[in-house]
Amino acid sequence: MTRPLGRRLALLCAALLATAVAACDSAPDDPAFVSPSSAAPSGSGAPEPAPAAFSGWHDPASAGKPWGDKVPGLLTFRGNPTRTFHGSGPMPKTKPEELWRFPKSGNMCRPSVDEHGERIWCGMGWTGQPAVFEREGKTWLVFGAYDGKVHFLDATTGERLLPDFTTNDIIKGSVTIDPDGFPLVYTGSRDDYFRIIAIDGDKPKELWKLSAYAVKPTLWNNDWDSSAIIIDDYLFEGGENSQFHIVKLNRGYDSNGKVTVKPKLIWNTPSWDDKLIKEAGHKTFSVENSVNVSGNTIYFANSAGLVQGWDISGLKSGQKPKRVLRFWTGDDTDGSIVSDEQGMLYVGSEYEKKNARSKTVGQLMKLDPSKPNDPLVWKIDERNGGTYSTAALHKDIVIFGTHAMDLVGVDRETGKVRWRHHVPGMGHGSPVIIDDVLIIGDCNAGWLYAFDVADTSVAPKPLWKVKPGACIESTPAVWNGVIYVGTRAGQLHALALR
């Protein structure tokens, strides 16, 4: 039977009222209850949809964040694929004390030969940032040093967790820890080889090594300074052999539960092209910076200043990478490329050749890779040696250290220099910023300096300085408020508030 319209409206209103009352009555005891005011902002009409999951290689929006959620820690140079994660606090705001040093006596030294001949190398240098991470209830500290060894320490005590792994020459760069939880360490050495080392036994075990001469042609030397990136079972690594490499790792475990790898070099490319040979006028084309992965593109530069971006979106389906960015800085570009949430690139370059290109594009550049024909957004001229270190993103500025020993704060949007602060003796290590505190080392007297950078509109305010040893040219690592830093005196130091 059809009810009159008035009767139907009355019944509907009564039902709605009863529903509303029941909902209100349930609210205090029902954790799933969402009030109308919290369901959506006033005037929005509906809740905002959750952002779509990123489907590429590495989400640019994760800039400044830890590298995934499987292994807590600082796992590679500057912490993540965009080289923007600096570690975890609380950062000491008053002078820290030494908790321990390694080794307790003696030092980490060995002879090595470079273009200046044979000499003794001690401690840790550029880049030399330790990896620190949580594994099986312990905090591990893993690093390579100028004694030619990889060391595996308990980060709390400084005692060895595993025996040292010895290579045949010094180790300059920063190791990388597998971000997916496989007990693997990735490291280079000046002895020709890049290695994968297992750490799930009673001693470290070499599972694989790649020779600097495994690919051709090579135009420079045999060192491996770059800190690798591993994503979805692929390893990305540049070498001083002047080539860039991609390796399919094929990680797994054997019947005894021990980690295994079956690596295959699937792609490599020269870090140069014919045009660069003509532009640069030399062939010292090593890759010393650590690869950046942002979105579906890998970025790296070489010691002649050629910045390249390669699209790897089709790599897993067998497609070869395609070059999508070519930009020449004009001079040696050793610092790693840093990228922000929008995928913009910050590139620092030295000023040695003093050529026309260097004078045109400056020594700190912001590049927009979506405009490959004209990517330069802004530039900073720094003609007293330029910069050797990796820039740091901090709030609305980018901070870089110069060869002339200045820290420089630059507005990320406009490229305007907001401030400049001289740090006597400052080395080529990269600034580390956590909790609005910046730390950086000095390579003359051996001070480690800390500055307050909470207000990005003014120059840093000194907080404290401490002298753990001698020259500090390595980049410190910070985890859970403890600072780990190596010096050229031959030791690594753990510093924190007691």
Side-chain angles (χ1 to χ4, degrees):
M1 180 177 69
T2 302
R3 293 185 175 92
L5 179 59
R7 174 63 172 161
R8 280 184 284 154
L9 289 174
L11 289 172
L12 178 60
C13 289
L16 290 172
L17 179 62
T19 301
V21 171
C24 290
D25 286 344
S26 70
D29 302 314
D30 184 1
F33 175 79
V34 180
S35 70
S37 62
S38 64
S42 176
S44 68
E48 289 292 328
F54 183 74
S55 59
W57 283 85
H58 187 72
D59 189 355
S62 65
K65 298 177 182 178
W67 188 5
D69 56 7
K70 295 181 181 178
V71 183
L74 190 73
L75 308 182
T76 187
F77 176 70
R78 278 295 189 76
N80 63 17
T82 56
R83 309 297 174 179
T84 55
F85 177 60
H86 294 198
S88 68
M91 184 73 96
K93 295 190 176 182
T94 57
K95 184 177 179 180
E97 299 181 35
E98 183 173 275
L99 303 181
W100 52 261
R101 65 175 61 186
F102 177 87
K104 292 181 180 178
S105 60
N107 48 35
M108 301 178 288
C109 299
R110 67 157 293 149
S112 184
V113 178
D114 62 8
E115 63 270 25
H116 304 294
E118 183 174 285
R119 53 194 170 115
I120 299 296
W121 297 65
C122 288
M124 298 167 69
W126 187 96
T127 54
Q129 185 178 47
V132 54
F133 59 100
E134 306 298 334
R135 179 174 184 265
E136 297 180 346
K138 292 184 178 180
T139 304
W140 287 58
L141 188 78
V142 179
F143 60 96
Y146 283 166
D147 59 356
K149 299 177 181 180
V150 182
H151 301 276
F152 309 87
L153 307 184
D154 184 320
T156 304
T157 65
E159 300 294 332
R160 285 182 172 89
L161 291 172
L162 293 176
D164 302 336
F165 180 89
T166 301
T167 73
N168 294 316
D169 210 327
I170 66 171
I171 300 174
K172 292 170 60 183
S174 302
V175 305
T176 293
I177 305 303
D178 192 283
D180 297 317
F182 290 91
L184 297 170
V185 175
Y186 307 83
T187 184
S189 171
R190 189 183 270 182
D191 70 353
D192 294 3
Y193 293 105
F194 182 87
R195 291 177 171 85
I196 302 177
I197 302 169
I199 57 171
D200 57 352
D202 56 2
K203 61 181 180 180
K205 180 181 179 181
E206 178 184 293
L207 299 184
W208 178 78
K209 61 184 179 182
L210 176 66
S211 169
Y213 304 108
V215 299
K216 294 181 180 180
T218 60
L219 293 182
W220 193 228
N221 64 29
N222 58 3
D223 205 349
W224 298 87
D225 285 354
S226 302
S227 188
I229 288 295
I230 296 91
I231 301 177
D232 294 344
D233 206 39
Y234 291 82
L235 179 146
F236 304 94
E237 172 71 355
E240 285 201 35
N241 62 356
S242 66
Q243 289 263 350
F244 189 87
H245 316 75
I246 300 180
V247 176
K248 181 69 167 68
L249 293 170
N250 299 307
R251 298 165 298 176
Y253 292 94
D254 64 18
S255 59
N256 296 317
K258 294 298 184 182
V259 68
T260 62
V261 294
K262 296 180 180 179
K264 181 180 180 181
L265 179 66
I266 62 170
W267 184 79
N268 61 278
T269 189
S271 68
W272 76 92
D273 53 25
D274 291 341
K275 184 178 179 181
L276 181 68
I277 294 176
K278 294 178 181 178
E279 291 173 328
H282 62 86
K283 294 184 179 180
T284 53
F285 298 152
S286 62
V287 179
E288 297 183 55
N289 52 21
S290 297
V291 60
N292 177 301
V293 185
S294 179
N296 288 318
T297 308
I298 55 173
Y299 298 100
F300 58 91
N302 70 10
S303 52
L306 183 62
V307 176
Q308 298 188 61
W310 289 81
D311 182 352
I312 55 171
S313 57
L315 187 65
K316 295 175 186 176
S317 60
Q319 298 177 34
K320 293 188 179 298
K322 178 182 178 181
R323 191 165 75 173
V324 292
L325 178 67
R326 183 194 190 277
F327 181 87
W328 187 41
T329 72
D331 213 328
D332 195 348
T333 303
D334 283 342
S336 297
I337 297 169
V338 171
S339 57
D340 65 18
E341 301 86 343
Q342 287 76 43
M344 299 293 177
L345 310 179
Y346 300 84
V347 182
S349 191
E350 297 164 29
Y351 189 71
E352 297 175 332
K353 305 299 182 184
K354 302 179 181 179
N355 53 36
R357 180 63 176 177
S358 295
K359 294 174 182 177
T360 298
V361 301
Q363 285 64 58
L364 182 73
M365 294 139 268
K366 179 178 180 177
L367 305 183
D368 182 350
S370 71
K371 301 176 180 178
N373 294 327
D374 186 20
L376 186 64
V377 179
W378 51 251
K379 56 101 171 186
I380 303 296
D381 292 321
E382 189 60 46
R383 296 182 184 172
N384 191 354
T387 179
Y388 290 69
S389 67
T390 297
L393 303 183
H394 177 58
K395 296 180 178 178
D396 60 343
I397 63 173
V398 55
I399 301 173
F400 72 105
T402 74
H403 182 65
M405 297 176 285
D406 288 339
L407 285 172
V408 184
V410 182
D411 186 298
R412 285 167 57 182
E413 186 66 25
T414 66
K416 179 181 178 181
V417 173
R418 291 192 185 173
W419 50 259
R420 182 179 294 266
H421 183 74
H422 188 66
V423 182
M426 186 175 71
H428 292 153
S430 301
V432 170
I433 307 169
I434 300 171
D435 298 336
D436 292 326
V437 176
L438 181 153
I439 57 172
I440 196 161
D442 133 46
C443 199
N444 284 346
W447 293 105
L448 181 68
Y449 292 97
F451 300 95
D452 182 345
V453 290
D455 186 347
T456 62
S457 66
V458 299
K461 300 175 182 177
L463 289 174
W464 50 261
K465 64 179 182 178
V466 63
K467 187 186 290 187
C471 162
I472 300 174
E473 65 178 6
S474 62
T475 298
V478 183
W479 188 247
N480 291 337
V482 183
I483 301 168
Y484 304 94
V485 62
T487 79
R488 293 300 300 272
Q491 297 175 318
L492 181 137
H493 305 258
L495 309 169
L497 297 177
R498 289 189 182 273

